[in-house]
Amino acid sequence: MALTASAAALSPVNFNGSGVNQRTSLFPRFWSRKGTNLTFLTNSRNKGAGLVASAATGDNGGVTARKFEAETAPGLYSWPDNKRPRICILGGGFGGLYTALRLESLVWPDGKKPQVLLVDQSEHFVFKPMLYELLSGEVDEWEIAPRFKDLLASTSVLFFQDRVKSLHPSDHLGINGPTTSSCGGTVHLESGLLIEYDWLVLSLGAETKLDVVPGALEFALPFSTLEDARRVDQRLKTLERRNFGKNSLINVAVVGCGYAGVELAATVSERLQDRGIVKAINVETTICPQASPGNKEAALKVLLTRNVQLLLGYFVRSISRVEDVESSIKPDDCEVVQCDSEKYILELNPAERGLKRQSLEADLVLWTVGSKPLLPELEPCERPHEIPLNARGQAETDETLRVKGHPRIFALGDSSSLRDSHGRILPATAQVAFQQADFTGWNLWAAINNRPLLPFRFQNLGEMMTLGRNDAALSPSFIEGLTLEGPIGHTARKIAYLIRLPTDEHRLKVGMSWLTKSAIESITSVQSTLSKVLSSS
């Protein structure tokens, strides 16, 4: 993957002949052992590694291209300033990006403003709660998936597009690390680059867990990333073209009826309308078990008024492909691969008494059940510098969001295991990550300036869910029993998310775009109404 770098203030990477020796002298015990302390899983579907560096100084000049191969001997990254604190943030989701922006907004004493380096494997930040609007065509991709380079153009935050290979923390020796160095540890990227840091933020997110059911990994599509949304949209377009002008319906199976499953089922059913049917499967006997009563009722009402069949109290036993599917499209006339006309069989087992086994056929299977953090389990070991993980693979943190036993490492979002005042692990939602990013930024400021750190306290502000192009449900926590639904809920949800977009500049651009689209839709609606009135008269 070709890599671009844009920053006048970015120092060049040192790839000298002594790279390996430097590496060995930094952590001799670490490099002498097989494997590493903590290896971060990567997506096998996205091979290769890339690097994009961006550190704005007010202009966009000085673009340099540089490519690193994974087989190249590691080089030690040279930070622009050897005196100022170095913060490395792994993961550019809600936790990572918003922590970087929070650090940028704080007032720092002279000489103590840290250098912040953000690392993410994608070129784009993705506002995941609005991925559904990509399927409905309500938003454009640039509105909810802007490039990191553009978002950070007016900041001093550096950005690398790369994947994390391994991590070697050294802060277990004390808050200042080894007596010979203040370095908190080293991050090893897949491109071969070594990054020394003073403070580290883990916010690598999670990926959909597809390997729990036979056939799910091969035949089901997840819906949690920008690439997933593109893939699902393309698959739907292919099915829509294939069934255009025919009487056959497009069958879509959505596995899971939590928030993600319900929002996806509502969006897809509205898009297909009378051309398809959505079958939503859930092991529970209700949808959105954790949702507020108002949101659950609003969602159920919408699903029942559309072509959605609810199969509640069932779990998927297996997914298999139907080999002998008749297709009216000749191979010479089809521009898509063969799998675009395939059908799948889902075997369902009852999770409740009184239900019978079922088999259903689907043209498309969408999977929204389960997730796994991108911090894998470690091999059992006695070494004290390992990061403590819970059973789900999340880093154990204290109430200040610092990893236990590692005072220079913070973890948040899906990478963190933190319990609320009732002893329950906080859910992996955008709202939690927003608030944790704010606390992480402040606590980094406090730690660097030798001030007391603040304990994190989650404040539930309410729940929101999209149910279509002009429909949503919103239940604010500060007004008990209130649920905004329909067009009012839809407008309130969009305004709430507009306020949450990363930067003022991006908010302004998106706000103007949405306002323009709304005006055009209103004018079109008035013209359509007038046309009907005139034609009837």
Side-chain angles (χ1 to χ4, degrees):
M1 184 185 302
L3 312 171
T4 60
S6 89
L10 181 64
S11 298
V13 180
N14 295 330
F15 282 92
N16 51 44
S18 59
V20 177
N21 293 333
Q22 288 179 345
R23 174 185 68 181
T24 307
S25 63
L26 282 172
F27 304 105
R29 289 191 299 171
F30 164 65
W31 292 107
S32 63
R33 299 178 185 268
K34 292 183 179 180
T36 56
N37 308 336
L38 182 60
T39 303
F40 295 83
L41 296 180
T42 57
N43 193 333
S44 61
R45 291 176 291 185
N46 299 323
K47 301 293 183 182
L51 170 66
V52 174
S54 172
T57 56
D59 55 63
N60 294 323
V63 177
T64 306
R66 190 183 298 266
K67 182 177 181 180
F68 302 101
E69 299 294 341
E71 295 80 8
T72 306
L76 188 61
Y77 171 65
S78 177
W79 291 83
D81 192 326
N82 293 327
K83 296 181 179 179
R84 292 192 291 128
R86 304 164 297 179
I87 299 177
C88 184
I89 301 176
L90 303 181
F94 290 115
L97 175 64
Y98 285 67
T99 296
L101 296 175
R102 174 62 168 156
L103 290 167
E104 186 72 13
S105 68
L106 295 171
V107 178
W108 296 87
D110 292 339
K112 284 196 174 184
K113 183 177 181 180
Q115 305 162 91
V116 180
L117 175 61
L118 179 65
V119 180
D120 194 272
Q121 65 178 0
S122 175
E123 182 185 2
H124 298 266
F125 163 75
V126 182
F127 200 92
K128 289 188 176 182
M130 299 196 74
L131 275 177
Y132 310 96
E133 278 82 343
L134 283 181
L135 296 184
S136 65
E138 189 176 350
V139 302
D140 296 324
E141 190 173 293
W142 69 267
E143 295 172 342
I144 65 164
R147 296 187 304 170
F148 285 109
K149 179 181 176 181
D150 297 331
L151 292 175
L152 302 174
S154 59
T155 72
S156 61
V157 178
L158 310 173
F159 173 64
F160 280 8
Q161 184 184 344
D162 209 329
R163 296 184 182 89
V164 180
K165 183 178 181 181
S166 60
L167 168 68
H168 179 59
S170 58
D171 58 348
H172 63 284
L173 300 175
I175 193 161
N176 292 321
T179 56
T180 58
S181 172
S182 63
C183 174
T186 303
V187 174
H188 187 190
L189 304 182
E190 277 198 357
S191 62
L193 190 64
L194 282 174
I195 301 175
E196 283 188 344
Y197 64 83
D198 298 316
W199 306 89
L200 182 69
V201 177
L202 299 177
S203 182
L204 286 164
E207 63 181 6
T208 306
K209 196 172 184 178
L210 290 170
D211 55 357
V212 293
V213 171
L217 187 62
E218 295 84 358
F219 307 125
L221 296 182
F223 193 82
S224 63
T225 67
L226 179 61
E227 291 72 22
D228 293 339
R230 289 170 175 169
R231 193 177 299 111
V232 172
D233 181 58
Q234 184 58 44
R235 189 82 169 86
L236 286 171
K237 287 179 179 177
T238 299
L239 293 171
E240 288 165 343
R241 287 196 302 267
R242 190 194 71 181
N243 285 39
F244 183 76
K246 299 179 182 178
N247 294 326
S248 60
L249 295 177
I250 299 171
N251 287 284
V252 178
V254 177
V255 182
C257 288
Y259 267 107
V262 168
E263 290 179 295
L264 193 55
T267 302
V268 172
S269 63
E270 183 186 55
R271 170 171 170 163
L272 295 178
Q273 296 184 359
D274 295 333
R275 295 168 297 166
I277 185 168
V278 176
K279 299 174 183 179
I281 307 160
N282 199 37
V283 69
E284 303 279 352
T285 55
T286 182
I287 64 170
C288 300
Q290 305 300 324
S292 64
N295 274 13
K296 187 183 301 184
E297 182 180 347
L300 188 60
K301 181 169 61 178
V302 168
L303 294 180
L304 294 178
T305 58
R306 296 181 185 168
N307 286 341
V308 178
Q309 290 183 3
L310 295 176
L311 299 171
L312 305 179
Y314 287 93
F315 64 89
V316 179
R317 182 167 60 91
S318 65
I319 304 174
S320 57
R321 180 172 52 198
V322 179
E323 297 291 345
D324 52 347
V325 179
E326 296 182 359
S327 177
S328 60
I329 302 177
K330 297 180 180 180
D332 294 339
D333 300 330
C334 186
E335 297 181 357
V336 296
V337 296
Q338 183 180 357
C339 65
D340 287 333
S341 61
E342 289 176 345
K343 292 182 180 293
Y344 307 97
I345 296 294
L346 287 82
E347 299 292 342
L348 307 183
N349 278 1
E352 298 287 335
R353 291 183 178 180
L355 299 176
K356 296 181 179 180
R357 291 185 178 183
Q358 291 196 38
S359 296
L360 60 90
E361 187 177 278
D363 300 290
L364 176 63
V365 182
L366 303 178
W367 195 274
T368 67
V369 179
S371 63
K372 53 183 177 182
L374 291 175
L375 296 176
E377 295 183 8
L378 301 177
E379 296 181 1
C381 192
E382 298 293 333
R383 293 193 294 269
H385 50 273
E386 287 185 342
I387 290 180
L389 304 179
N390 66 1
R392 294 190 64 239
Q394 298 169 306
E396 295 279 2
T397 62
D398 61 22
E399 60 180 3
T400 66
L401 299 176
R402 288 192 298 187
V403 174
K404 292 180 179 179
H406 294 271
R408 287 182 174 267
I409 302 179
F410 290 80
L412 63 160
D414 294 286
S415 298
S416 170
S417 171
L418 184 65
R419 299 182 182 274
D420 59 17
S421 56
H422 301 288
R424 296 169 298 193
I425 294 181
L426 291 174
T429 63
Q431 183 180 176
V432 172
F434 280 139
Q435 297 184 29
Q436 288 182 334
D438 189 58
F439 270 77
T440 301
W442 172 261
N443 280 343
L444 281 166
W445 182 95
I448 292 172
N449 291 283
N450 296 318
R451 301 290 183 86
L453 276 62
L454 297 177
F456 175 73
R457 295 292 182 266
F458 172 63
Q459 295 183 348
N460 186 8
L461 302 178
E463 304 170 350
M464 298 187 292
M465 60 192 310
T466 181
L467 299 171
R469 284 185 63 91
N470 201 33
D471 207 340
L474 188 153
S475 297
S477 62
F478 48 86
I479 305 179
E480 186 176 355
L482 174 66
T483 299
L484 303 178
E485 54 184 292
I488 296 178
H490 177 266
T491 302
R493 176 178 175 273
K494 289 193 74 172
I495 292 175
Y497 281 151
L498 179 64
I499 296 173
R500 282 296 192 179
L501 289 177
T503 64
D504 292 337
E505 183 180 359
H506 189 63
R507 279 192 289 269
L508 179 61
K509 290 180 179 179
V510 173
M512 293 297 295
S513 177
W514 288 356
L515 187 61
T516 302
K517 291 177 184 177
S518 179
I520 293 174
E521 289 178 359
S522 299
I523 294 172
T524 303
S525 178
V526 170
Q527 289 177 340
S528 177
T529 303
L530 289 176
S531 177
K532 291 180 181 178
V533 171
L534 293 175
S535 62
S536 62
S537 61

